[in-house]
Amino acid sequence: MFQNERCEKIYEILQQRGSVTVPYLEKQLYVSAATIRRDLESMEKSGLLQRVWGGAMLRTVDKDIPSFVRMKSNQDKKEKIASIASAFLRSSSSIFFDSSTSCLPLVPYIAELKNITVVTSSLKMSLQLGQSCDAAVNLLGGTVYEDYILSGHLAVKSVRQFHTDMMFFSCSGISAACSITSIEPRVVEVCQEMLKHTALKVLLCDTSKVGKNALLHLADLNDVDYVVMDAVPENDAALISALGSRLITDRSQIK
């Protein structure tokens, strides 16, 4: 079992139990105590848990978290958002996708279309598209971050070779006060370059991110054409007003 797989299993156990001992994890994962301690140390650095004497306990995180957690976070909302946003998709079009897990549920809808060209900074997206459809997939160059995200100068430079019909991306937070924000600079620099080289900009954002302000400015509210959410947010009236008809919560709004 690879470290990422062990960490995912440890996190699942912590969500169930709240706390766990090293001996218990040894029995569950069939690895040594030394290996478990190294995994716990790595997860603590990621902000996923707090190590205590003899084991670890779960704690709420307020920083960027590993992909295996993001993949399972608010998945029902992401699926609903993808269903709505799929109304923007057209055959014979080109699309930028950032590396966010919010974009992945769009893959089945792309598979239904013909003559699609995709440009993405996500190894996960490229793999899923390759397995499910015949879209022409262009994977950006760059340095691999968190096992599947392409970032850095080469990735930014690669973006400049393209101009797409539309772009789908996500964020860490959105509010009327701070606009669209993100926590990870390596994601921001690539995403901002994509925004310069596309015609239609669509933000995919579940309502759990509304009213939250992350460290880095990703884009202004006026930089995007549409913001697709799973529902009308209840905690930021100023944001609803600022977005106006650009806030999409139902397929019928997309002409």
Side-chain angles (χ1 to χ4, degrees):
M1 185 182 294
F2 295 108
Q3 185 184 36
N4 282 352
E5 295 174 305
R6 292 195 306 272
C7 289
E8 180 172 358
K9 183 63 177 177
I10 291 170
Y11 191 78
E12 289 177 354
I13 293 171
L14 279 169
Q15 286 185 307
Q16 295 168 3
R17 299 168 62 92
S19 63
V20 69
T21 64
V22 171
Y24 179 84
L25 291 175
E26 284 183 79
K27 293 178 181 179
Q28 295 297 310
L29 303 180
Y30 304 102
V31 293
S32 68
T35 297
I36 293 297
R37 291 190 183 96
R38 285 194 297 270
D39 290 342
L40 295 180
E41 180 180 4
S42 175
M43 294 176 72
E44 184 177 47
K45 290 178 180 178
S46 296
L48 290 172
L49 55 79
Q50 180 180 346
R51 285 191 295 169
V52 295
W53 181 260
M57 60 185 292
L58 192 66
R59 72 180 182 191
T60 303
V61 297
D62 58 0
K63 58 187 293 187
D64 200 17
I65 56 179
S67 61
F68 68 78
V69 179
R70 294 199 302 272
M71 284 291 293
K72 298 178 181 179
S73 176
N74 296 312
Q75 189 61 30
D76 56 337
K77 294 182 179 181
K78 293 175 184 177
E79 296 286 351
K80 182 178 180 180
I81 288 170
S83 176
I84 298 168
S86 66
F88 286 110
L89 297 172
R90 299 287 186 274
S91 292
S92 302
S93 60
S94 55
I95 311 167
F96 272 137
F97 286 108
D98 77 345
S99 56
S100 66
T101 57
S102 296
C103 289
L104 294 176
L106 279 168
V107 169
Y109 300 99
I110 298 170
E112 299 174 358
L113 304 176
K114 296 181 179 180
N115 194 29
I116 295 293
T117 300
V118 169
V119 183
T120 183
S121 56
S122 168
L123 287 166
K124 287 183 184 294
M125 173 67 78
S126 66
L127 179 61
Q128 290 190 19
L129 286 170
Q131 292 174 338
S132 64
C133 65
D134 58 359
V137 181
N138 295 272
L139 191 59
L140 298 177
T143 302
V144 179
Y145 159 68
E146 207 179 85
D147 296 333
Y148 76 98
I149 299 172
L150 290 159
S151 62
H153 173 71
L154 287 177
V156 173
K157 186 176 179 180
S158 296
V159 172
R160 295 170 186 159
Q161 300 178 56
F162 301 93
H163 187 89
T164 65
D165 297 313
M166 63 188 74
M167 172 186 177
F168 295 93
F169 70 110
S170 192
C171 62
S172 302
I174 184 171
S175 68
C178 296
S179 296
I180 302 164
T181 55
S182 177
I183 201 164
E184 176 49 63
R186 286 168 287 196
V187 171
V188 167
E189 62 178 357
V190 176
C191 199
Q192 287 179 336
E193 195 64 31
M194 287 181 174
L195 288 167
K196 299 175 185 177
H197 296 271
T198 192
L200 183 72
K201 308 169 185 69
V202 182
L203 176 68
L204 310 178
C205 180
D206 69 72
T207 47
S208 70
K209 299 175 181 179
V210 174
K212 295 182 179 179
N213 302 315
L215 178 66
L216 302 170
H217 179 266
L218 174 57
D220 291 331
L221 295 178
N222 290 333
D223 290 336
V224 298
D225 296 296
Y226 297 100
V227 178
V228 182
M229 293 188 181
D230 51 285
V232 177
E234 300 178 351
N235 57 333
D236 196 332
L239 175 65
I240 298 173
S241 177
L243 292 176
S245 61
R246 293 181 297 147
L247 175 61
I248 305 295
T249 58
D250 189 275
R251 282 177 63 95
S252 63
Q253 295 175 260
I254 303 172
K255 307 301 182 181

